[in-house]
Amino acid sequence: DEARTALQWVLWTLLLAVPFVIMMLPLAVRIPNVVLIICSTLALATSGLTFFRGAYHALKNLMASMDVLVVLGLSSAYLYSLLVVFLPDTFQDQHHFFEVVVLLILFVRLGKYMEARAKGQAGRALESLAALQADRARIISGDTEREIPASDVQVGDLIRVRPGEKIPVDGEIVEGETAVDESIVTGEAIPVEKSPGDTVTGATMNTVGLLVIRATRVGEETVLSQIVRLVETAQADKAPIQRFADAVANVFVPVVVSIALITFLTWYFALDATLSFALTAAMAVLVIACPCALGLATPTAILVGSGIGLQRGILFKRASVLERIAGLQTLLLDKTGTLTSGRPKVTDVLALHGYDEQEVLRLATGVEQGSTHPLAKAVTQEAQRRQIEGYKFTEVREEGGRGISGRLNDALLQVGSVRLMAAASINMTPIQDAVQVLQDQGKTIVYVARNQDIIGLIGLADTVRADAAAAIRRLRSLGLRLVMITGDHERAARAVAQAVGVDEVEADVLPQEKSDLVERYQTKGEMVGMVGDGINDAPALARADIGIAIGSGADIARETGDIILVRNQLLDVERAILLGRATLRKIKQNLFWAFFYNILGIPVAAGVLYPVLGVLLKPEWAGLAMAFSSVSVVTNALFLKRAGSKLDCDQ
């Protein structure tokens, strides 16, 4: 709603600016002064009123903010223009500045609209996160089962959850075994085996087994609701950056007003000049001192910089992000889906008892090809990649959370976890060394047994992205502190960190702890960035000074992040930082040009050269100086495209 209102103000001001745009075009059309006065007055009284309110509150607190600077420029340009129009004899051959009034209001209003839009996106992010919760739940009462809204579940209720369904609330398993896809909470791709007594989290997915769970946390107490609150709190607490322009305005405004007042008093009382001469000199000081280019200095550089980023698949969602990312000191990187592919993949096939890798895969994929379990899918995909066709099994039976078994002629084949092997009383001693090697590498193991003998081990892992190591090397060269964070266990985390070149690792981290981790680094006075892709990363992305979301990740991650890597390339993190640094340099240069002509012209406008050279800076010349500073700012910002060319060279 706020964004819609802000857009309406932009369109209204744009309508009022039409006569002034026509004036600027090389057309033989003269707009009557009465039309210009009406349009500028309406702009001040409607769209410009917010700046007067802001200036009032700033002055009330003895501060001179950007609003005060804008109001000073608007008021001086408007009042002087009225004097030129209504007192033509006193202000002969002078030019009015009604167009400055309307166009300055239009530009600042456009900035407010962009800010409101960003807030609206943050609101939609929370809505999409809340929508992940299951809508319905099956309550067990004695021998009967009834379906109710998930919001009506009470603590202690028994709930039946079928394979492929979302778990409606946080609870404890009473009956059944399964593997639960907890990627929504932990971000880890490999499902977690669950049995009676284990806890489950609402909104996670029951993959294979039929479960009965007892509700332990409902409503606002569930983990998902806590994540929503964390995101909401983090977004609300993110403090706005202190604008350099505000700091300058706090000093600049009182100095300029004092100079204008001294100029008038000196000429009129001390030097006995005419009222029109003294007033013209004072107004010239105010007009030239109003750095209209200051309104262009930051937005123009950001507009060009964000355009360059978008052409290269880097979307900066908020205007200030390009400015802030240049100061990044610490970068936290999620493991699963960011540094890794986010999907389990077969990395090792170990054959035993005279079997070869091809035969182990043929047997395993034959029994697993009907399973929906992610590990089973990874095994069958590896067989397809190697062009291995599985055998046809009979009596195939899946045991939730353990594995799957089937018969081939007179042989019983069992494929699954160590729990399945233990239940079948299969001797594991001869393979302990091989198992230990795979576990030390942080890999998940699928055991393949024929009758009572282990004939093979299949190692699976979430593989490292192809560009991860190069991206880490480049980020390190920028002087950043790099930390990998993950909900995975320490051993698997260290294996990935070593592969990509990250020294610092935070493992076994829950979603709320990721957010706390960001805050911990921030309390050290560091500017912290977070790179993530999952729902579980959303609180940390919101809490970080700069949240960077992988484009192929979850909707909530993209909505919460400040930057979206549309091409899903980790190398684009470095490009975003380099572009931010180049943009910040241009902003600083633009701020210099925004003031340069104006400050240079203030003494001339005040009449310092008049007694010696007879030169007095007329208000129309002051306006020309403002135009020059604006042109300088825009031209300088366009040089940012050179930075874009360098980014292309680095690809």
Side-chain angles (χ1 to χ4, degrees):
D1 292 340
E2 187 180 340
R4 194 178 297 112
T5 302
L7 179 59
Q8 289 170 354
W9 280 118
V10 170
L11 295 175
W12 165 245
T13 313
L14 187 61
L15 180 65
L16 295 176
V18 169
F20 302 100
V21 174
I22 293 173
M23 280 176 52
M24 296 175 184
L25 297 175
L27 302 173
V29 179
R30 186 180 180 281
I31 306 297
N33 284 339
V34 64
V35 174
L36 302 180
I37 292 172
I38 290 172
C39 288
S40 58
T41 304
L42 282 173
L44 273 178
T46 56
S47 304
L49 200 58
T50 183
F51 309 123
F52 284 87
R53 290 197 193 100
Y56 167 74
H57 290 297
L59 293 173
K60 189 177 177 181
N61 293 314
L62 302 178
M63 295 289 291
S65 64
M66 266 296 292
D67 280 334
V68 176
L69 193 55
V70 170
V71 165
L72 179 65
L74 292 175
S75 302
S76 57
Y78 179 74
L79 292 173
Y80 182 80
S81 299
L82 288 179
L83 291 173
V84 169
V85 172
F86 290 110
L87 299 174
D89 294 334
T90 306
F91 296 88
Q92 294 181 8
D93 301 323
Q94 302 296 329
H95 176 70
H96 62 72
F97 295 104
F98 290 120
E99 70 276 6
V100 171
V101 174
V102 180
L103 295 179
L104 186 57
I105 292 174
L106 174 63
F107 198 84
V108 182
R109 273 290 183 184
L110 188 60
K112 288 187 177 291
Y113 163 65
M114 293 170 66
E115 182 181 352
R117 241 183 85 182
K119 289 180 182 177
Q121 288 171 343
R124 284 199 299 273
L126 292 173
E127 288 178 8
S128 63
L129 185 54
L132 294 170
Q133 189 75 50
D135 295 326
R136 311 289 291 177
R138 292 187 182 86
I139 299 294
I140 301 172
S141 300
D143 296 331
T144 63
E145 179 183 301
R146 59 192 177 90
E147 193 172 286
I148 65 170
S151 57
D152 292 344
V153 175
Q154 302 294 318
V155 173
D157 286 347
L158 293 178
I159 305 165
R160 180 167 284 128
V161 185
R162 295 172 181 169
E165 292 183 341
K166 283 183 181 179
I167 295 170
V169 295
D170 295 0
E172 180 183 323
I173 297 177
V174 177
E175 296 177 15
E177 293 183 343
T178 188
V180 177
D181 181 355
E182 296 185 331
S183 57
I184 187 175
V185 175
T186 64
E188 300 311 314
I190 298 174
V192 180
E193 295 178 1
K194 300 283 186 178
S195 58
D198 291 338
T199 59
V200 290
T201 304
T204 58
M205 185 68 70
N206 176 30
T207 59
V208 289
L210 181 64
L211 296 179
V212 175
I213 68 169
R214 178 180 290 107
T216 56
R217 286 196 296 260
V218 299
E220 295 297 315
E221 300 304 315
T222 64
V223 170
L224 186 64
S225 295
Q226 290 172 15
I227 292 176
V228 171
R229 285 200 300 276
L230 283 169
V231 174
E232 193 171 28
T233 303
Q235 288 178 336
D237 285 351
K238 186 178 286 187
I241 188 170
Q242 174 60 45
R243 309 294 297 183
F244 176 73
D246 278 339
V248 171
N250 200 35
V251 177
F252 194 65
V253 170
V255 170
V256 167
V257 172
S258 300
I259 292 173
L261 187 60
I262 291 169
T263 298
F264 176 79
L265 295 174
T266 302
W267 281 111
Y268 189 66
F269 291 105
L271 301 175
D272 293 326
T274 62
L275 177 63
S276 63
F277 184 94
L279 198 56
T280 298
M283 284 294 182
V285 170
L286 291 175
V287 171
I288 198 171
C290 174
C292 292
L294 190 64
L296 294 168
T298 300
T300 306
I302 287 174
L303 185 65
V304 175
S306 59
I308 292 169
L310 193 56
Q311 289 170 7
R312 288 150 184 83
I314 306 169
L315 175 60
F316 296 90
K317 289 171 58 180
R318 296 172 179 82
S320 60
V321 174
L322 259 170
E323 197 176 335
R324 296 207 315 269
I325 196 173
L328 213 56
Q329 296 166 293
T330 298
L331 191 63
L332 308 181
L333 301 110
D334 173 53
K335 177 179 79 70
T336 307
T338 301
L339 293 175
T340 65
S341 63
R343 296 182 302 277
K345 184 179 179 182
V346 173
T347 57
D348 303 88
V349 179
L350 179 62
L352 306 167
H353 294 298
Y355 288 84
D356 59 21
E357 289 186 14
Q358 185 168 332
E359 185 66 10
V360 169
L361 272 176
R362 180 174 283 114
L363 288 166
T365 196
V367 75
E368 290 203 302
Q369 57 192 356
S371 175
T372 58
H373 195 288
L375 296 183
K377 288 181 178 179
V379 171
T380 56
Q381 285 170 1
E382 179 64 16
Q384 290 170 3
R385 189 185 69 81
R386 298 190 187 192
Q387 297 181 332
I388 296 173
E389 188 174 347
Y391 292 114
K392 301 295 182 184
F393 280 79
T394 60
E395 299 180 31
V396 176
R397 186 165 64 93
E398 191 162 1
E399 298 183 34
R402 292 184 177 183
I404 194 167
S405 62
R407 287 197 173 273
L408 180 65
N409 300 324
D410 294 330
L412 174 66
L413 195 82
Q414 293 174 297
V415 181
S417 68
V418 67
R419 291 167 61 192
L420 182 65
M421 301 298 112
S425 301
I426 294 173
N427 184 16
M428 308 286 285
T429 305
I431 59 168
Q432 285 304 315
D433 291 342
V435 169
Q436 190 63 47
V437 170
L438 293 175
Q439 288 180 340
D440 288 343
Q441 295 171 355
K443 295 175 181 177
T444 299
I445 303 172
V446 171
Y447 299 83
V448 183
R450 186 178 183 273
N451 293 328
Q452 291 298 111
D453 295 321
I454 297 286
I455 63 170
L457 301 176
I458 300 176
L460 300 100
D462 184 10
T463 54
V464 173
R465 292 169 60 117
D467 61 344
I472 293 300
R473 189 170 59 253
R474 291 191 181 190
L475 289 169
R476 193 189 298 278
S477 70
L478 296 179
L480 297 176
R481 178 183 187 180
L482 304 177
V483 183
M484 189 186 82
I485 58 176
T486 178
D488 207 351
H489 55 82
E490 181 80 19
R491 194 160 45 190
R494 288 290 175 188
V496 172
Q498 186 175 4
V500 299
V502 176
D503 296 328
E504 295 187 53
V505 176
E506 298 279 354
D508 297 307
V509 181
L510 296 175
Q512 58 268 34
E513 292 172 342
K514 286 186 178 182
S515 178
D516 294 340
L517 196 63
V518 171
E519 193 171 5
R520 194 174 82 200
Y521 282 101
Q522 287 174 328
T523 54
K524 297 177 183 178
E526 299 177 15
M527 177 78 82
V528 180
M530 169 72 190
V531 187
D533 73 309
I535 294 162
N536 62 305
D537 299 321
L541 288 169
R543 174 70 65 184
D545 297 295
I546 301 291
I548 304 174
I550 304 295
S552 60
D555 290 344
I556 179 63
R558 292 195 300 272
E559 291 286 358
T560 308
D562 301 299
I563 299 172
I564 301 175
L565 306 182
V566 179
R567 299 186 303 186
N568 308 316
Q569 294 184 8
L570 205 55
L571 287 167
D572 283 341
V573 177
E574 181 223 16
R575 295 185 184 116
I577 295 171
L578 289 175
L579 186 57
R581 291 181 178 181
T583 302
L584 184 60
R585 284 196 298 271
K586 286 300 173 189
I587 289 172
K588 290 178 178 178
Q589 291 169 10
N590 282 352
L591 289 171
F592 168 77
W593 289 113
F595 285 104
F596 177 74
Y597 292 111
N598 310 75
I599 294 175
L600 200 64
I602 285 177
V604 182
V608 172
L609 299 179
Y610 187 79
V612 181
L613 301 176
V615 175
L616 180 67
L617 187 67
K618 296 182 178 180
E620 57 264 36
W621 295 352
L624 191 61
M626 287 197 307
F628 269 126
S629 62
S630 298
V631 170
S632 301
V633 162
V634 174
T635 305
N636 188 48
L638 292 175
F639 285 140
L640 254 179
K641 292 184 178 180
R642 292 181 182 176
S645 301
K646 291 181 181 178
L647 293 180
D648 291 333
C649 294
D650 290 337
Q651 286 183 3

